[in-house]
Amino acid sequence: MNSTPNRRFYLHAGTALLLSLAWVSALGCNQNPYLAGGPTVGNAQVWQNAPPADVPAGQARISELSRRVQLLDDNNRQLQTQLAQSEQRTQAFQQEVGLLREQLAGMSGQLQSTTLAAKAAESQVRGMVASTQSQDRNAIRPNTNLSQLAATANFGGLPVRADADSIRITIASDQLFAPGTANLLPQAQGMLQNLAGPLRSRFTSNRVGVESYTDTSPMYGGAFTTPHQLTSAQAAAVVAWLQQQGGIPPNQLFTVAQGSAQPIADNQTPSGRASNRRIEVVIYPSAMSRAW
């Protein structure tokens, strides 16, 4: 934009030059129209007025040149206006460029921060995955050992089966309790002792859950009004015996009352209802025991 003053100067200079040429052209360049053809005194001519006939023709020519000069002035003003508008647009563009540079700088900083955060999160996830894999590997060993221990343990002929990462030992509730009660029968002492011996000698680092189930038969009278109350009392009775007579540490045992949920046989038949009335002792792997 440094060439703007020079352009304006040349426009004004051109206008002035054109006016000068107009006067010279109108009056003649070889002689003074007010002296030509006049009387002389000696060798010098005497000043006189220009012939009237020449005045209208010169004025017409001057008027035409003045009109052209006016057009040049109008064009000059328009050009100056356009130049001023161009300067304003240039300034606006420069401001927009500055704002864009600031925004790009801010976005670049945010991108760097996001990249660092993503790398940190990725590192954290990798650490968690590695830790989980290590825990999984450690959890497999106790389960394998648990299966081996259960295979060699003597539970007095009680049914033993593997269930995912745990071992389940099932005892019929009718062999432990009188129907609809939580009172242990005399013969229950021997079965619970067969259960307590291996738990005390082979599974000292394992958590043991005592789960109680019953059927859907209605209970008439007695101390319990719902299946859940009955199974809760029966599970608590087994745990109390294992702690007091079986020598199992209290923090190794816990109870689960299932009520009439999760039947394993048809409750419409007497044999099916008898199968659903049961106590299941669940031995969990030692890795899970540490979590508790």
Side-chain angles (χ1 to χ4, degrees):
M1 301 304 299
N2 294 331
S3 61
T4 301
N6 294 333
R7 294 179 180 176
R8 294 173 179 173
F9 170 77
Y10 291 137
L11 288 172
H12 289 298
T15 301
L17 178 60
L18 185 59
L19 287 172
S20 300
L21 291 175
W23 280 101
V24 171
S25 176
L27 302 178
C29 60
N30 295 325
Q31 62 181 356
N32 190 329
Y34 298 102
L35 297 178
T40 59
V41 178
N43 294 328
Q45 290 183 331
V46 180
W47 183 274
Q48 67 176 0
N49 294 328
D54 296 337
V55 173
Q59 288 179 348
R61 193 169 185 181
I62 291 173
S63 297
E64 176 62 20
L65 293 175
S66 298
R67 186 184 65 80
R68 295 181 181 180
V69 170
Q70 183 63 38
L71 291 175
L72 290 175
D73 287 340
D74 293 341
N75 292 336
N76 184 25
R77 284 191 296 270
Q78 293 177 0
L79 182 58
Q80 290 178 356
T81 301
Q82 293 175 357
L83 291 174
Q85 293 175 351
S86 297
E87 291 177 354
Q88 293 177 353
R89 287 195 294 269
T90 300
Q91 292 177 356
F93 290 154
Q94 290 176 350
Q95 292 177 354
E96 291 178 358
V97 170
L99 292 175
L100 288 175
R101 288 178 178 174
E102 293 178 358
Q103 293 176 357
L104 288 174
M107 292 176 63
S108 177
Q110 293 178 356
L111 180 60
Q112 292 178 356
S113 300
T114 303
T115 301
L116 293 176
K119 290 182 178 179
E122 181 181 1
S123 177
Q124 184 177 5
V125 170
R126 288 180 178 177
M128 293 175 63
V129 171
S131 177
T132 302
Q133 291 175 349
S134 177
Q135 292 177 0
D136 291 342
R137 287 192 296 270
N138 293 334
I140 292 174
R141 296 190 185 95
N143 187 32
T144 302
N145 295 336
L146 182 61
S147 299
Q148 294 174 352
L149 290 174
T152 58
N154 182 12
F155 290 101
L158 295 174
V160 180
R161 63 184 176 89
D163 182 14
D165 57 353
S166 62
I167 298 298
R168 288 183 176 268
I169 305 163
T170 303
I171 308 174
S173 296
D174 293 347
Q175 296 177 353
L176 298 176
F177 304 100
T181 72
N183 301 321
L184 289 171
L185 297 172
Q187 65 266 26
Q189 308 291 327
M191 284 184 289
L192 292 179
Q193 186 59 52
N194 291 334
L195 179 65
L199 292 178
R200 187 173 57 247
S201 61
R202 291 175 175 267
F203 303 96
T204 57
S205 63
N206 300 83
R207 287 277 284 181
V208 178
V210 177
E211 300 180 358
S212 179
Y213 302 83
T214 189
D215 59 8
T216 57
S217 299
M219 289 173 288
Y220 302 98
F224 310 105
T225 58
T226 65
H228 186 270
Q229 291 179 355
L230 174 62
T231 56
S232 179
Q234 290 178 344
V238 172
V239 167
W241 193 97
L242 291 175
Q243 292 176 357
Q244 297 169 8
Q245 279 77 34
I248 308 300
N251 60 354
Q252 190 177 356
L253 300 168
F254 65 96
T255 63
V256 179
Q258 296 285 6
S260 57
Q262 300 184 15
I264 58 176
D266 186 5
N267 277 308
Q268 302 300 319
T269 63
S271 60
R273 289 192 294 271
S275 297
N276 290 332
R277 296 190 296 268
R278 67 195 188 278
I279 298 291
E280 292 188 3
V281 178
V282 186
I283 306 174
Y284 292 91
S286 57
M288 185 178 296
S289 300
R290 289 196 298 269
W292 287 334

